Amino acid sequence: MYRYDEFDAAFVADRVSAFRDQVSRRLSGDMTEEQFRPHRLMNGLYLQLHAYMLRVAVPYGTLNARQMHKLAHIARVYDKGFGHFTTRQNIQYNWPALSDVPAILDELASVEMHAIQTSGNCIRNVTADHFAGAAADEIEDPRPYAEILRQWSSIHPEFTFLPRKFKIAVNGADWDRAAIQVHDIGYQIVRNEAGEVGFAVYVGGGLGRTPMIARKLRDFLPKADLLAYTQAIVRVYNLEGRRDNKYKARIKILVHEKGVDPMREAVEAEFAAASREFISLPASEIARIKSYFAPPALQARAACDAYEARRQTDPRFAAFAANNVHPHRVAGHGVVTISLKPIGGVPGDATAAQMDAVADLAARYGHDEIRVSHEQNLVLPHVALDDLPAIYDELAANGLATANAGLISDIIACPGLDYCALATARSIPIAQRISERFGEGERARDIGELKIKISGCINACGHHHVGHIGILGLERKGVETYQITLGGSGDETCSLGTLTGPGFSSEEVVDAIERIVNVYMSVRTDRSEDFLAAYRRVGMQPFKEALYETSKGADI
Amino acid sequence: MALWKNGAFVDDAWREIAEGEDPPPAGHVILPLDWWEQERDAFEGSNAPLGLRVAPGVPIERFARDINRFALIELVFPKFGDGRAFSMARLLRERHGFRGELRATGDVLIDQIQMMARCGFDTFQISDATTERLLRERGAPAYKRFYQPGATPEAPVDSRPWARRPG
Amino acid sequence: MRAGPMHYAISANRLRDGIVVFLGAGGAWVEQLAQAAAYPEKEQAEAALEGARGDEKRNLVVEAFVFPVRQSPAGLVADHIRDAIRAAGPSVYRDHGKQAETR
Ligand code: SF4
């Protein structure tokens, strides 16, 4: 993974000391809240429902063991012993005191981390495929490019006061695990006819109040032009994006209102006119950044006796291996998903002890690599299958061996009204009850791959629009109600879910989900047709009938 | 209102032209763009130094051909969160070769001054009292490490062309 | 829950640690809603809020606001779910927030 050099370390240290000064000016009364707010947001510090919340950047979701131990330490010393991993591959602390935040930032800086640009109308943490560098279906590791974008966008003098926040994702595999088509810019690594590797460029995707799927601006962008082209897109957006209405300020609205062809013309014209002098990427520099991400030297293993033996004799282990282990590009290895979705638990939360346990496993068996996925799980990307029994036992001892990756109980849920000042309804308790209803056992496995995503307001941090089943919590006359959408997907077949109809009360919503699942089970051709495929084949009607059958009965 | 330039408050040689006023022959007034567009013929043959005030969102193409007629261009930040003038400044400097005084006005706050300077601004009209006080007490922040080229000359760090220091 | 007529209380977050606080009867900030002052008329609460703004200026608290409460047999309860969760703590961790102290 990327390692800071002196320059990077000093850059972060400068910013931490500036914020330390701002915090002390604020606490001494030398600065009003209004004056301080932009500074605290610049450093990822929000004021939420119960207390401050600090959002720490995990660039493209990659951590090493030392960093994970530090995150655990911060949870223990400055918070209530836990942290929350988010759909932006970041971690949030829910209870830090303002007066402690400079010390927390110092701790983070000591392990090459920070909270810069995790908030505000700037270019946010760049995200990438959480299986990057390990998955069998990858053209190239997207993280070197995400790192270059991260550096270039840090405290950008021109792009720190954009109309609205700006999110970039990079994906390197055929399977889009980074949901690039719902980002402001999505870069998909592709190979052109000449065999060169570059990027297909998508612009103007996003969820929130007006969800939109990105439009393609370019089939192929040479690597050298990554920053120049990004600059062109963001500059057009900065100059032309709407600033009269915060709900219409994202680039998706500009692309929509301007039209994709005029948008492309404007970006290409800006790109053609700008000097490349300092912004073209030299191949040597790309290679140097790439060398930080060199994959560990894994030996292909033909036989995995220890792994096979355990699989034959231990059905729980076998279920874990089947659900939570993804093929690695090197034979005899796997990519292990550590579910942060224990049955009935809070999606994405990990205790300090759990973080330490994962860090130890990564150091011992995982080539010192950990990933945070946008599905709010952790990943050990490079594991020898023969080490899996030992890893599994250690995970189980720490309550981390839930065998539900990709299943119905692997639910994404934003913090919702339990923490978030913007929320209209709770999302976590809904996730907990659905997870309890379906579990991780035979029934969940029989249902197969099913992504449920829950947001506590229209800001859609829980990505509900791209859930196979999406749930949106709203407030109606002071009561929490939940709308359901079906058929969304964030992968390369990206689609937005369709609303089933009127919403459901908190009491009704889990039953409603069960009805939807029952319809799927009855209409699917066989086990190989997953929920999304079945929905796309049969459409909304049978689900609607099952959900609203009583009112239909009354009509007859 | 005070004018910040090169690390100090300085006297302002310029003023905004008043409504209905005829431009003085000696110049040193700042004209709104609309005004200029209507009256530009009246300046045929005049060498009086003139300034131009441009609102955010105005395409530079609208006045690009006249840029060299102006000794000063003033770009407006209506709110600190409205960052359009950052891009306009870079375009004026880097694309249109404007060499005159580039002035930031409006909601100009202490922590933006260095960013503005890196985008090509060289004078800053300060109306925020706290910013003025802090500038007098401690000057503007002066970070020395950047991750991207700006409009000012800065030297690349090692081989990373996007990481830079003041040159 | 049976609850009495609508009253109004004032809440904010403490600047130093962000913790939710309520304006008490004597004008001091208290941590439990049970100890908060409840005003029968919204105008009275608005007037008290003006006083609380002074504590914002003195950098003790931030984001002070008025919200509706009711008297119940168990004491003051917030009328809106959002304020109730603020007054108790996250409903998903009963051992976090104010509810932990009153158990
Ligand atoms: S979706 Fe709404 S409730 Fe959920 S975290 Fe985002 S802003 Fe908060």
Side-chain angles (χ1 to χ4, degrees):
Chain A
M1 63 188 289
Y2 186 70
R3 298 306 311 257
Y4 282 10
D5 61 15
E6 265 174 44
F7 179 90
D8 301 312
F11 180 90
V12 172
D14 282 351
R15 300 291 160 168
V16 174
S17 74
F19 190 56
R20 178 183 296 282
D21 175 55
Q22 287 151 0
V23 169
S24 78
R25 272 151 62 197
R26 175 70 188 109
L27 288 173
S28 72
D30 205 17
M31 216 191 252
T32 64
E33 184 63 15
E34 240 200 318
Q35 290 164 339
F36 179 63
R37 190 178 297 117
H39 298 297
R40 79 164 154 72
L41 291 177
M42 224 20 162
N43 287 280
L45 188 65
Y46 289 75
L47 185 59
Q48 290 288 28
L49 218 47
H50 308 292
Y52 293 104
M53 179 270 277
L54 180 68
R55 182 180 295 151
V56 175
V58 181
Y60 34 90
T62 294
L63 290 168
N64 61 26
R66 200 167 141 248
Q67 292 173 322
M68 187 62 111
H69 278 307
K70 182 60 83 177
L71 295 179
H73 171 77
I74 291 169
R76 211 175 265 125
V77 175
Y78 303 99
D79 203 283
K80 295 187 187 295
F82 77 117
H84 176 75
F85 290 96
T86 78
T87 56
R88 297 277 311 148
Q89 300 182 298
N90 292 324
I91 183 170
Q92 294 177 179
Y93 293 104
N94 288 307
W95 302 92
L98 173 60
S99 48
D100 283 340
V101 171
I104 299 175
L105 296 182
D106 274 342
E107 301 252 21
L108 289 169
S110 74
V111 295
E112 305 176 10
M113 295 182 77
H114 60 71
I116 297 166
Q117 279 175 221
T118 57
S119 173
N121 293 337
C122 53
I123 299 173
R124 301 285 190 89
N125 185 31
V126 179
T127 53
D129 177 4
H130 44 273
F131 290 173
D137 60 345
E138 189 169 84
I139 298 170
E140 218 183 89
D141 190 335
R143 292 173 301 158
Y145 306 101
E147 172 60 25
I148 290 169
L149 285 163
R150 178 193 76 80
Q151 293 189 13
W152 166 81
S153 62
S154 293
I155 321 280
H156 197 294
E158 184 182 350
F159 301 140
T160 297
F161 299 94
L162 297 172
R164 201 78 177 81
K165 59 189 167 184
F166 200 89
K167 299 175 180 177
I168 304 177
V170 193
N171 190 60
D174 293 338
W175 181 2
D176 177 8
R177 282 175 292 259
I180 63 164
Q181 292 186 58
V182 290
H183 282 75
D184 296 289
I185 299 179
Y187 284 116
Q188 171 67 45
I189 296 179
V190 292
R191 203 184 293 281
N192 69 5
E193 280 161 11
E196 297 152 345
V197 174
F199 306 94
V201 186
Y202 293 83
V203 166
L207 300 175
R209 182 179 292 237
T210 318
M212 285 186 192
I213 293 174
R215 308 295 300 268
K216 202 190 225 182
L217 282 199
R218 269 237 187 176
D219 289 323
F220 188 83
L221 178 75
K223 286 178 182 179
D225 292 331
L226 177 66
L227 295 183
Y229 205 78
T230 308
Q231 173 181 277
I233 294 169
V234 185
R235 185 172 285 162
V236 168
Y237 169 58
N238 190 37
L239 287 167
E240 297 186 27
R242 285 181 63 171
R243 291 174 187 265
D244 59 328
N245 178 340
K246 100 178 221 201
Y247 298 111
K248 298 200 158 131
R250 295 288 290 268
I251 195 174
K252 62 189 173 189
I253 303 291
L254 177 65
V255 174
H256 180 73
E257 290 182 350
K258 193 176 170 84
V260 66
D261 293 328
M263 182 71 189
R264 182 181 299 114
E265 279 164 33
V267 169
E268 292 288 344
E270 172 55 42
F271 175 64
S275 155
R276 299 291 151 74
E277 197 181 350
F278 300 121
I279 202 169
S280 280
L281 298 181
S284 58
E285 257 322 277
I286 297 178
R288 195 179 68 85
I289 301 284
K290 273 173 84 164
S291 68
Y292 285 110
F293 297 90
L298 304 179
Q299 294 294 322
R301 299 170 177 223
C304 301
D305 298 338
Y307 167 74
E308 286 304 336
R310 180 78 180 265
R311 224 159 59 98
Q312 301 303 328
T313 55
D314 179 351
R316 296 180 73 95
F317 177 83
F320 181 85
N323 276 306
N324 292 37
V325 182
H326 184 88
H328 196 282
R329 67 156 71 117
V330 179
H333 292 77
V335 182
V336 177
T337 297
I338 300 171
S339 168
L340 295 182
K341 319 294 173 62
I343 302 309
V346 177
D349 277 10
T351 64
Q354 289 176 324
M355 290 186 230
D356 279 335
V358 172
D360 287 339
L361 287 172
R364 187 136 172 231
Y365 303 107
H367 299 270
D368 201 23
E369 275 218 43
I370 304 159
R371 305 289 169 75
V372 182
S373 79
H374 76 271
E375 296 178 323
Q376 300 180 288
N377 292 318
L378 300 176
V379 174
L380 297 177
H382 307 292
V383 162
L385 290 179
D386 275 343
D387 289 332
L388 198 60
I391 293 172
Y392 176 80
D393 290 338
E394 193 58 30
L395 290 174
N398 284 282
L400 289 168
T402 317
N404 62 352
L407 299 182
I408 186 168
S409 50
D410 182 5
I411 300 168
I412 288 185
C414 78
L417 192 53
D418 281 300
Y419 293 98
C420 178
L422 302 173
T424 42
R426 281 174 286 179
S427 25
I428 298 167
I430 306 299
Q432 291 175 311
R433 282 159 48 213
I434 295 172
S435 151
E436 275 159 0
R437 178 76 57 100
F438 294 97
E440 58 169 320
E442 183 46 42
R443 183 178 183 202
R445 283 197 294 280
D446 189 23
I447 295 165
E449 180 172 323
L450 209 179
K451 294 183 192 297
I452 298 183
K453 304 185 190 235
I454 311 175
S455 303
C457 80
I458 49 166
N459 287 330
C461 303
H463 299 174
H464 63 276
H465 299 111
V466 291
H468 300 167
I469 299 176
I471 301 176
L472 167 62
L474 296 168
E475 189 209 293
R476 291 274 181 268
K477 300 198 180 90
V479 179
E480 295 165 294
T481 62
Y482 296 88
Q483 289 184 345
I484 298 177
T485 50
L486 300 180
S489 171
D491 64 9
E492 64 285 356
T493 69
C494 196
S495 57
L496 301 172
T498 307
L499 193 63
T500 57
F504 299 87
S505 70
S506 175
E507 291 71 39
E508 296 164 339
V509 67
V510 180
D511 290 339
I513 299 300
E514 186 157 32
R515 286 190 197 188
I516 290 166
V517 171
N518 290 342
V519 171
Y520 156 64
M521 297 298 276
S522 68
V523 301
R524 73 180 181 186
T525 50
D526 58 46
R527 262 182 105 131
S528 72
E529 188 183 47
D530 65 23
F531 180 90
L532 185 63
Y535 173 83
R536 284 175 172 169
R537 180 172 55 79
V538 304
M540 177 63 87
Q541 203 48 38
F543 295 97
K544 226 178 171 134
E545 280 168 19
L547 282 175
Y548 305 105
E549 63 193 354
T550 45
S551 58
K552 186 179 167 235
D555 284 343
I556 293 170
Chain B
M1 203 86 95
L3 190 68
W4 180 257
K5 179 181 183 181
N6 288 335
F9 282 104
V10 296
D11 289 338
D12 191 352
W14 293 84
R15 64 183 179 84
E16 312 272 334
I17 196 162
E19 185 95 21
E21 179 188 350
D22 283 333
H28 278 107
V29 284
I30 302 171
L31 314 171
L33 178 58
D34 289 347
W35 203 102
W36 167 254
E37 284 176 337
Q38 281 163 25
E39 308 287 335
R40 64 195 303 274
D41 291 346
F43 291 95
E44 203 72 48
S46 149
N47 286 325
L50 294 177
L52 181 70
R53 178 183 171 95
V54 184
V58 172
I60 289 172
E61 288 63 39
R62 217 175 107 184
F63 57 95
R65 64 185 175 134
D66 293 334
I67 277 173
N68 290 324
R69 175 64 186 83
F70 295 101
L72 174 151
I73 295 177
E74 181 176 83
L75 300 177
V76 185
F77 291 83
K79 293 177 297 190
F80 80 85
D82 185 338
R84 285 177 285 187
F86 288 106
S87 288
M88 294 168 75
R90 283 196 72 172
L91 290 173
L92 282 171
R93 289 293 194 214
E94 293 171 60
R95 187 138 330 144
H96 298 280
F98 178 64
R99 295 272 161 268
E101 176 178 340
L102 194 52
R103 179 177 287 198
T105 190
D107 202 7
V108 176
L109 302 182
I110 184 153
D111 291 283
Q112 282 145 296
I113 288 176
Q114 190 178 23
M115 290 185 183
M116 290 174 178
R118 295 194 65 227
C119 287
F121 287 100
D122 45 16
T123 59
F124 309 88
Q125 201 157 45
I126 308 299
S127 47
D128 175 65
T130 307
T131 295
E132 185 177 336
R133 175 169 65 81
L134 290 172
L135 283 173
R136 288 189 196 284
E137 283 170 18
R138 50 167 83 187
Y143 293 104
K144 292 198 174 55
R145 298 170 189 88
F146 315 115
Y147 272 120
Q148 58 296 110
T152 40
E154 289 157 353
V157 171
D158 305 325
S159 51
R160 269 190 288 179
W162 61 88
R164 308 184 76 77
R165 285 181 216 273
Chain C
M1 195 184 310
R2 272 209 338 272
M6 191 89 86
H7 283 54
Y8 298 90
I10 291 162
S11 183
N13 292 76
R14 202 153 55 201
L15 172 67
R16 175 166 291 276
D17 57 8
I19 294 302
V20 171
V21 286
F22 304 96
L23 192 62
W29 294 94
V30 297
E31 289 195 26
Q32 294 291 340
L33 178 57
Q35 293 144 20
Y39 303 90
E41 300 296 334
K42 191 151 190 197
E43 291 71 46
Q44 296 171 311
E46 300 286 354
L49 180 65
E50 278 314 304
R53 296 252 175 257
D55 286 342
E56 287 188 340
K57 291 207 181 70
R58 281 188 288 280
N59 305 299
L60 298 174
V61 298
V62 291
E63 303 200 356
F65 67 100
V66 171
F67 67 103
V69 293
R70 289 176 198 273
Q71 293 285 358
S72 83
L76 276 188
V77 290
D79 199 50
H80 291 165
I81 178 167
R82 181 178 192 279
D83 298 324
I85 290 175
R86 265 184 105 247
S91 70
V92 294
Y93 285 109
R94 291 295 178 194
D95 51 344
H96 290 173
K98 303 181 178 307
Q99 55 201 350
E101 289 144 39
T102 49
R103 277 207 310 189

